Amino acid sequence: MKTAELLKRYRFENRGLRTALAQRSKELSFFINSGKALTSTLEFNKILRVIMERAQRLIKCDAWSLLLLDEDAQELRFVVAKGSKGRGLKKFRLKVGQGIAGWVAKTGQPLMIHDVRKDRRFNRAVDRVTRFKTRSVLCVPIVNKKRTIGVLEMINKLNREPFDEKDQDLLRKLVDQAAIALERAMLYERMSNLAITDDLTKLFNFRYLDGILDREIERCRRYGSILSLIFFDMDYFKHVNDTHGHLMGSKVLIEVAHLLVENLRTVDIIARYGGDEFVVALPETNVPTALRITQRLHKSLKSHEFLKEEGLGVTMSASFGVAGYPEHARTKRDLVRLADHAMYHAKNSGRDQVCVAEKRPTRARVRTG
């Protein structure tokens, strides 16, 4: 009798062990494949897609979000948001410490909440924006080398089931893999950006502009499209350096870059040419339209109060030159030369104005805009 009971118990225990072994084997295979997928690319967006696809396979939810930390602003931004909650979240930002995701980013600790109505850390503003009803949350930090770089958030487990320790453990294993891949991708992206962006203003540099103009001119030739170029130089910029120091001069250039980004389209190519000279390429833009845009930039720069936060309140002006393809030039070299020449005409004519290259088949001449 005792032997039969022991055999029955052993068979029951063996079934449990086989089930547990099969589950562990399945999990091991999942994480091995996840690791391969995450290390197979250095492309940032591909890694984000892999993380979200793997998270969705691990835990079935109504919504998933991946937020990355902007260390300078101390804010979390939504880089991927899946599910009905995802609509409208891309522009939404959370301060570190704000909401559940902000608390996780600040503490570096995971958080599992079964009923957000009973937790003061829950930020209802996100639900108001998305018109989504959050019931439960599982949020884990993405940490690499003891530094939090983001958080992964799961919302409302399917069938109204509560999140549990098993879910949290699986998700933490995934983000441990993801953290290394994300760090590698971000480092690679930063190194790539160094080759094409200006260190100070974070605008494109001349090297990148030179290459992009080749492609834009070729596109214009192939499809019969147009391109305009704006050259401008800050007036009496040396006076700022001499009076307030080079650090303040650098801050002025950073503010100029911000004004350009605010006043131009995302398709426009903005570059720092060197020193206090800037260039803007305007695809699919004729010269009259480019002139209106330039006049708006001229007015915006002249009305801006630079170094206000430093208590200086400096006002400045700039001299602009405009040229267009194919109206003024048929090559990249001529387009750059004519826009530059128009800018120097503005300088030599008293500064603080806009000049447009005139249409001449041989000799470049300019007229005041």
Side-chain angles (χ1 to χ4, degrees):
M1 187 72 176
K2 288 183 180 179
T3 303
E5 287 179 358
L6 282 172
L7 287 172
K8 185 178 180 180
R9 190 175 73 185
Y10 289 153
R11 282 195 292 268
F12 179 78
E13 289 176 353
N14 284 341
R15 280 198 300 271
L17 289 170
R18 282 196 296 269
T19 301
L21 184 61
Q23 181 62 30
R24 291 294 297 274
S25 177
K26 185 179 178 181
E27 288 175 14
L28 182 61
S29 176
F30 175 88
F31 287 112
I32 288 173
N33 290 331
S34 296
K36 288 179 179 179
L38 287 166
T39 55
S40 66
T41 181
L42 284 170
E43 190 176 327
F44 189 68
N45 288 332
K46 282 187 179 179
I47 288 174
L48 293 178
R49 288 197 294 270
V50 169
I51 294 169
M52 294 310 289
E53 182 269 330
R54 291 279 150 173
Q56 288 173 264
R57 287 179 59 182
L58 269 182
I59 306 170
K60 304 298 182 184
C61 298
D62 287 340
W64 308 258
S65 299
L66 195 155
L67 302 89
L68 290 182
L69 178 63
D70 181 337
E71 289 186 312
D72 292 334
Q74 283 295 289
E75 290 179 334
L76 290 166
R77 58 186 178 89
F78 288 85
V79 290
V80 182
K82 297 288 186 179
S84 56
K85 187 186 176 81
R87 291 190 294 271
L89 279 180
K90 285 298 179 74
K91 294 182 179 180
F92 202 91
R93 290 195 169 215
L94 293 171
K95 288 288 183 184
V96 170
Q98 179 186 10
I100 292 168
W103 185 91
V104 169
K106 183 177 181 179
T107 63
Q109 298 298 318
L111 189 60
M112 185 165 51
I113 300 174
H114 296 144
D115 187 350
V116 296
R117 295 174 301 175
K118 299 177 181 179
D119 198 296
R120 293 181 179 179
R121 289 167 292 193
F122 177 62
N123 182 8
R124 288 170 176 76
V126 177
D127 274 10
R128 285 196 293 270
V129 169
T130 59
R131 296 181 180 179
F132 183 88
K133 186 175 181 180
T134 300
R135 298 187 305 273
S136 57
V137 174
L138 171 57
C139 189
V140 295
I142 304 172
V143 180
N144 189 41
K145 297 177 182 177
K146 298 182 179 180
R147 182 172 65 91
T148 300
I149 59 177
V151 298
L152 183 58
E153 192 174 49
M154 317 296 281
I155 311 292
N156 298 351
K157 193 173 178 181
L158 289 189
N159 302 321
R160 292 184 173 267
E161 292 181 9
F163 292 107
D164 55 32
E165 294 295 332
K166 176 76 171 177
D167 296 327
Q168 182 173 294
D169 181 58
L170 290 173
L171 208 58
R172 292 192 74 172
K173 288 178 181 176
L174 177 64
V175 299
D176 284 347
Q177 290 182 312
I180 299 169
L182 280 173
E183 187 74 16
R184 287 172 64 246
M186 287 190 289
L187 179 61
Y188 178 77
E189 193 174 65
R190 284 196 293 270
M191 290 175 65
S192 299
N193 286 341
L194 285 175
I196 65 171
T197 57
D198 173 59
D199 286 345
L200 178 66
T201 62
K202 309 308 177 187
L203 300 176
F204 292 121
N205 57 24
F206 174 73
R207 178 181 176 181
Y208 178 79
L209 176 73
D210 191 55
I212 204 72
L213 284 178
D214 281 328
R215 292 194 288 272
E216 286 296 323
I217 293 292
E218 178 58 33
R219 185 182 60 82
C220 288
R221 286 177 181 152
R222 182 174 297 181
Y223 300 108
S225 53
I226 55 178
L227 172 71
S228 289
L229 203 66
I230 303 170
F231 251 80
F232 77 90
D233 181 272
M234 300 302 293
D235 297 330
Y236 304 110
F237 180 72
K238 185 176 182 298
H239 180 70
V240 175
N241 285 333
D242 292 344
T243 305
H244 304 294
H246 288 276
L247 178 60
M248 293 298 104
S250 295
K251 289 187 176 182
V252 165
L253 296 178
I254 292 169
E255 289 187 47
V256 170
H258 290 164
L259 285 170
L260 291 174
V261 172
E262 288 171 5
N263 283 277
L264 293 164
R265 305 170 299 180
T266 55
V267 296
D268 298 329
I269 301 123
I270 313 168
R272 184 184 178 196
Y273 194 74
D276 58 331
E277 289 185 337
F278 296 83
V279 183
V280 180
L282 305 169
E284 299 293 342
T285 306
N286 60 28
V287 172
T289 302
L291 177 58
R292 289 195 296 272
I293 292 168
T294 308
Q295 288 167 337
R296 188 178 73 233
L297 288 175
H298 175 239
K299 183 179 179 181
S300 177
L301 284 169
K302 191 173 181 179
S303 63
H304 182 73
E305 197 173 351
F306 291 93
L307 304 176
K308 191 175 180 179
E309 290 185 1
E310 283 72 24
L312 297 176
V314 176
T315 55
M316 301 185 69
S317 64
S319 300
F320 293 80
V322 180
Y325 177 96
E327 185 172 340
H328 301 114
R330 294 282 179 172
T331 66
K332 176 188 74 173
R333 182 178 178 182
D334 283 346
L335 182 64
V336 172
R337 178 176 59 83
L338 288 170
D340 188 38
H341 185 73
M343 180 193 73
Y344 276 102
H345 183 79
K347 284 276 188 192
N348 296 331
S349 300
R351 292 182 169 85
D352 189 20
Q353 58 185 292
V354 178
C355 287
V356 181
E358 287 188 354
K359 291 180 283 186
R360 289 291 185 270
T362 53
R363 188 178 176 184
R365 297 170 67 183
V366 294
R367 59 183 170 83
T368 301

